[in-house]
Amino acid sequence: MTRDGTRTEVSKMEEGREEQARERARGLLVSGEVQAVLGLRGRRGQVVPYLFSRPEELQDLTLSGIYPLAKVVLRLLGRWEDGRLAVIARGCDERHFVELEKKNAVDTSRVELIGVACAEEEARECGCSRPYPRRVDAGRPLEEADFLDRGELEELLSMKISERRRYWTEVLSRCIKCYGCRNSCPLCNCVDCRLEESRWVRVGEIPPEYPSFHLIRAFHLADKCVDCGACQRACPMHIPIRRLHRLLGEELKRLFGYRAGEDAGEVSPLLSELEEGPLFPGLEEEVTRAVEAAGREVDVIEL
Amino acid sequence: MNYKAVPSVCPYCGCGCGLYLEVMDGHLVGTFPSPTHPISRGSLCIKGWSAYEFVESEARLTRPLWKRGANLEPTDWNTVLYFVAERLKAIRDRYGPRSIGFLSSAKCTNEENYVFMKFARSVVGTNNIDHCARLCHAPTVAGLAYAFGSGAMTNSVPELEEASCILVIGSNTTENHPHDRLADHQRPGERSLRHSRGPSAHPFGQLRGPLYPAAPGYRCGPRERDDERDHPGGVARPRVYPLPDGEPRGPPG
């Protein structure tokens, strides 16, 4: 779904995709492997998340729309004593579940993913670098597709520090503290969210203090963000917040070869024990070089 | 276990953003914005995101409270309704129907206000009924009708994006009506400005000097070079000038 709500026009070839998804969902429901299927339901012009519990309801299942369903799953599993559910999962949804599994936030034995490959129009719309899940039940995965605009990231990084600071000050100053970015992110599920602690974020101040509000979130998500874009879609002030998360994600990839959402067994490089040695091998030299290049002196504190 | 998202509208400000109420097993557990809503287009502020919280909050009153002395004692509806009816009847019988005034609210539904009005006029027998719009919206209806020819919002929300200048008076628009369509007016050099003595001059530029809302004959001037000097930091703000004669203008034609 585009920013103004119009549905992305998907080519004719993708129309069979919905039926494939329905078939898989029906099979899982009828066999009793799952008690319900979470997906999007299209009715009376509205496309919304819905828990299908009867096979007949599946005729309203639609793939034309996007929503971070992992967010709903967290809530469902919390209130549902036992029972398994199937979830319509695009590439980004599957990456959400990988990260949630790393945090032990989801009992993945209760969740069955129905893999949906995104159409080219959808992948382009989202600027996605991997528009398909591991297992694809519906659609054809665009294996070579990578629509992530690295050009814009490079453009940002090529700006002088003072220009970059001016850019981020301007865009982040639009923030009305709606918490939409945080609320729509499936990886943002801390019981005690730092953004609601007055020690870090002053109550009643709009815009929130630059740059702490957005940087707190960006750093907390640095090793978890899977670039689904839900935060960007939720921002009423058109803040290019996804760019910030992408920049950090690219840094982690560059420094540690780590990408969130790929492998549930992969441990984030930001989690390690200091006894094993320096937290980020090579980082000290890197930082020194960068700071000296900016014309400042470096003070290294040996711990 | 069941879950569905019910389309609705945010109950708070006049933006009327479309949202979905998340219902799980009959309980309201969340809200999220509706991307297909033609006006809000997926925007939602903190109030809308939290709109579900009060519905099942434990802090809600579940019984009427009767004030006796300094205490508020829980009681039941029959007792209080009977008491109120008896007292209203007694006051009306002794002092006449016009001794009772009725004050309603624009936050109530049309149906609630209709019943209230019916009660005041037919049951109690008085015309003394009014509501908060007397203070707030009624004068603006008169002012707008005089200035623009119509007492209601004189443009559609999408037209905000086409405005070349937006003058905001006496409103903290950022917090009161956070419309995403105004977000594009906040880049440096953009043509929004705001006059208010309120605390947040952000995100719009601040006008200097007093602005008299009774003189709607102000016009917006183009951005000038010396704005840079007056407003360091590179955020340009257009000047605003009173029209030559300073008198308010009536509607055209």
Side-chain angles (χ1 to χ4, degrees), chain A residues 194-212:
Chain A
R194 289 290 172 270
L195 300 180
E196 291 184 13
E197 275 180 41
S198 53
R199 178 199 309 195
W200 305 112
V201 176
R202 281 193 283 269
V203 172
E205 185 180 277
I206 287 180
E209 182 178 353
Y210 171 87
S212 41

Side-chain angles (χ1 to χ4, degrees), chain B residues 174-232:
Chain B
T174 312
E175 296 189 43
N176 295 356
H177 300 103
H179 247 306
D180 76 311
R181 292 166 199 273
L182 297 176
D184 296 328
H185 273 265
Q186 296 174 41
R187 288 189 262 281
E190 279 297 332
R191 297 139 301 197
S192 298
L193 32 83
R194 181 177 155 271
H195 177 272
S196 170
R197 291 192 186 83
S200 54
H202 173 84
F204 301 99
Q206 187 96 28
L207 286 180
R208 305 231 161 157
L211 180 74
Y212 298 98
Y218 276 74
R219 74 173 155 85
C220 294
R223 174 187 167 177
E224 293 180 351
R225 288 280 158 249
D226 53 358
D227 269 301
E228 194 60 44
R229 179 198 65 209
D230 287 344
H231 307 279

Side-chain angles (χ1 to χ4, degrees), chain A residues 205-226:
Chain A
E205 185 180 277
I206 287 180
E209 182 178 353
Y210 171 87
S212 41
F213 186 91
H214 298 91
L215 282 192
I216 287 172
R217 206 172 152 263
F219 275 95
H220 285 191
L221 288 172
D223 56 348
K224 302 179 190 71
C225 173
V226 301

Side-chain angles (χ1 to χ4, degrees), chain B:
Chain B
M1 167 62 61
N2 49 61
Y3 169 89
K4 61 180 174 178
V6 181
S8 186
V9 175
C10 179
Y12 290 112
C13 82
C15 288
C17 295
L19 49 66
Y20 290 107
L21 301 168
E22 293 183 275
V23 184
M24 205 173 282
D25 266 355
H27 292 283
L28 242 191
V29 296
T31 54
F32 62 91
S34 164
T36 52
H37 194 270
I39 298 301
S40 61
R41 304 186 303 185
S43 295
L44 203 59
C45 80
I46 183 80
K47 292 174 291 194
W49 277 105
S50 322
Y52 69 95
E53 284 177 11
F54 68 82
V55 178
E56 296 191 16
S57 166
E58 285 179 6
R60 286 193 79 164
L61 289 176
T62 53
R63 297 169 65 181
L65 302 177
W66 192 322
K67 188 161 189 197
R68 295 191 204 274
N71 301 325
L72 283 168
E73 296 172 6
T75 177
D76 63 283
W77 283 110
N78 277 340
T79 308
V80 295
L81 285 173
Y82 186 77
F83 176 76
V84 169
E86 283 300 303
R87 290 296 298 138
L88 280 178
K89 252 192 289 187
I91 291 167
R92 183 194 56 183
D93 292 343
R94 177 156 176 203
Y95 299 103
R98 293 170 71 184
S99 65
I100 303 176
F102 288 82
L103 286 172
S104 184
S105 167
K107 268 291 248 183
C108 296
T109 62
N110 288 343
E111 290 76 11
E112 285 168 323
N113 279 324
Y114 176 77
V115 169
F116 200 61
M117 188 224 38
K118 214 54 175 175
F119 182 73
R121 294 190 213 266
S122 302
V123 177
V124 172
T126 175
N127 288 340
N128 294 339
I129 176 163
D130 209 333
H131 78 357
C132 53
R134 174 75 58 187
L135 281 166
C136 142
H137 192 46
T140 55
V141 169
L144 281 169
Y146 179 66
F148 296 109
S150 167
M153 186 169 172
T154 50
N155 56 271
S156 68
V157 169
E159 283 170 302
L160 284 171
E161 287 170 329
E162 296 174 35
S164 48
C165 180
I166 297 180
L167 176 64
V168 180
I169 300 176
S171 164
N172 186 349
T173 311
T174 312
E175 296 189 43
N176 295 356
H177 300 103
H179 247 306
D180 76 311
R181 292 166 199 273
L182 297 176
D184 296 328
H185 273 265
Q186 296 174 41
R187 288 189 262 281
E190 279 297 332
R191 297 139 301 197
S192 298
L193 32 83
R194 181 177 155 271
H195 177 272
S196 170
R197 291 192 186 83
S200 54
H202 173 84
F204 301 99
Q206 187 96 28
L207 286 180
R208 305 231 161 157
L211 180 74
Y212 298 98
Y218 276 74
R219 74 173 155 85
C220 294
R223 174 187 167 177
E224 293 180 351
R225 288 280 158 249
D226 53 358
D227 269 301
E228 194 60 44
R229 179 198 65 209
D230 287 344
H231 307 279
V235 180
R237 300 179 182 95
R239 289 190 181 280
V240 172
Y241 319 84
L243 285 172
D245 53 26
E247 288 297 313
R249 296 283 168 87

Side-chain angles (χ1 to χ4, degrees), chain A:
Chain A
M1 211 158 265
T2 60
R3 186 67 178 81
D4 65 358
T6 56
R7 236 153 272 157
T8 311
E9 287 302 314
V10 168
S11 59
K12 286 276 179 227
M13 284 214 291
E14 309 299 339
E15 278 179 2
R17 190 177 60 147
E18 256 181 32
E19 193 46 46
Q20 288 173 312
R22 266 186 225 118
E23 273 311 303
R24 174 85 181 123
R26 205 170 281 133
L28 287 167
L29 255 188
V30 164
S31 70
E33 270 177 81
V34 301
Q35 281 75 58
V37 176
L38 181 68
L40 294 179
R41 178 167 80 156
R43 255 176 50 155
R44 302 191 203 124
Q46 314 264 6
V47 173
V48 282
Y50 182 74
L51 194 65
F52 300 87
S53 38
R54 293 193 313 275
E56 318 85 76
E57 292 180 314
L58 286 168
Q59 69 188 16
D60 289 329
L61 179 78
T62 180
L63 296 178
S64 58
I66 184 162
Y67 188 80
L69 291 172
K71 195 93 200 186
V72 182
V73 171
L74 286 171
R75 224 184 258 135
L76 276 172
L77 292 182
R79 288 175 98 104
W80 204 1
E81 295 286 305
D82 49 27
R84 294 187 82 230
L85 71 135
V87 184
I88 300 288
R90 296 173 185 269
C92 49
D93 296 304
E94 183 194 61
R95 297 199 291 278
H96 287 145
F97 283 106
V98 166
E99 283 305 309
L100 288 170
E101 193 181 334
K102 283 187 200 173
K103 288 166 96 175
N104 285 325
V106 157
D107 179 0
T108 45
S109 67
R110 294 178 67 187
V111 180
E112 181 80 35
L113 297 185
I114 299 176
V116 170
C118 289
E120 187 181 328
E121 296 90 342
E122 293 169 333
R124 198 182 292 276
E125 171 81 39
C126 269
C128 187
S129 56
R130 209 248 286 166
Y132 53 89
R134 290 255 138 62
R135 179 207 154 116
V136 175
D137 296 294
R140 292 168 311 113
L142 297 166
E143 310 221 323
E144 300 301 312
D146 185 347
F147 295 103
L148 204 161
D149 186 0
R150 288 189 180 74
E152 78 171 6
L153 299 181
E154 275 159 26
E155 189 194 326
L156 266 171
L157 290 171
S158 69
M159 288 158 75
K160 293 204 308 275
I161 296 282
S162 59
E163 286 172 349
R164 255 189 270 174
R165 190 193 170 104
R166 203 192 336 243
Y167 171 79
W168 286 111
T169 308
E170 193 271 308
V171 297
L172 295 182
S173 69
R174 292 188 227 155
C175 177
I176 59 167
K177 232 174 166 189
C178 69
Y179 286 90
C181 48
R182 196 260 332 242
N183 290 345
S184 47
C185 176
L187 280 328
C188 263
N189 47 23
C190 292
V191 173
D192 298 316
C193 177
R194 289 290 172 270
L195 300 180
E196 291 184 13
E197 275 180 41
S198 53
R199 178 199 309 195
W200 305 112
V201 176
R202 281 193 283 269
V203 172
E205 185 180 277
I206 287 180
E209 182 178 353
Y210 171 87
S212 41
F213 186 91
H214 298 91
L215 282 192
I216 287 172
R217 206 172 152 263
F219 275 95
H220 285 191
L221 288 172
D223 56 348
K224 302 179 190 71
C225 173
V226 301
D227 195 31
C228 73
C231 53
Q232 183 74 71
R233 282 190 292 275
C235 180
M237 289 293 147
H238 306 175
I239 295 171
I241 195 68
R242 202 172 167 191
R243 241 170 252 178
L244 189 56
H245 295 301
R246 271 176 171 164
L247 280 169
L248 280 166
E250 291 293 302
E251 274 298 285
L252 278 172
K253 173 94 194 195
R254 190 175 67 83
L255 288 170
F256 308 106
Y258 173 86
R259 177 135 273 167
E262 295 297 311
D263 178 5
E266 200 180 350
V267 177
S268 157
L270 300 184
L271 295 173
S272 60
E273 291 162 76
L274 289 168
E275 285 95 43
E276 286 166 7
L279 199 55
F280 310 127
L283 188 62
E284 192 184 303
E285 287 82 30
E286 169 112 20
V287 170
T288 308
R289 244 181 290 127
V291 172
E292 280 169 350
R296 295 194 151 84
E297 289 194 1
V298 178
D299 254 313
V300 176
I301 301 169
E302 297 281 357
L303 287 171

